[in-house]
Amino acid sequence: MTSTPNRAPAPEPHRRAPPSPTLVHATLDNRTLLALLLRRADPGADPERLVAALLDRFGSLGAVAGATPGELARAVSAGPAVPADLKLLRELAIRLAREDACRRPVITSWTALLAHVRTALAHEPREQFRALYLDRRNVLMRDELVAEGAVDHAPVYSGM
């Protein structure tokens, strides 16, 4: 009796590989993407109902991500994981954008400054006074929160 070596079966030529998860996620609309995230955060809740309530209350995906945990809790009746996951997701997005921005000269023009500030401050519920530290080539070295204010102003006092 001869033994044959164990080999993996040859792939069938007519079958296509499944689409890349990256491509699939890139085609999702905001409502579906948020529902998928909320389904993972609170498996017992109805994610479509949560998404509808959040988008009705805040108006956009960015505004949902920028809402405070208290505002999120008042908007929907879900477990504490939902506001926590949304805040973690927003912080991750900010850090990814900041990491990318720190690799190249960011403040080389007024447009570049506005793009950085919009990314960092988008959907913040309160005004912020920030200090941007640049090297001599205008590469952003650090973006530091100096003061956080009210809804429409951020007072800053000199230390003298």
Side-chain angles (χ1 to χ4, degrees), residues 25-38 51 55 59-64:
H25 292 143
T27 61
L28 297 175
D29 65 341
N30 290 348
R31 192 173 283 273
T32 305
L33 185 63
L34 189 55
L36 288 170
L37 178 71
L38 295 179
V51 169
L55 291 177
S60 71
L61 185 61
V64 169

Side-chain angles (χ1 to χ4, degrees), residues 64-85:
V64 169
T68 65
E71 290 173 326
L72 292 168
R74 285 189 296 275
V76 294
S77 57
V82 169
D85 280 3

Side-chain angles (χ1 to χ4, degrees), residues 3 25 29 39 48 102 114-115 136 142-143 145-146 151:
S3 65
H25 292 143
D29 65 341
R39 180 176 288 128
E48 285 77 19
C102 288
L114 290 177
R136 60 189 159 126
R142 185 174 178 153
D143 179 355
L145 174 65
V146 175
V151 173

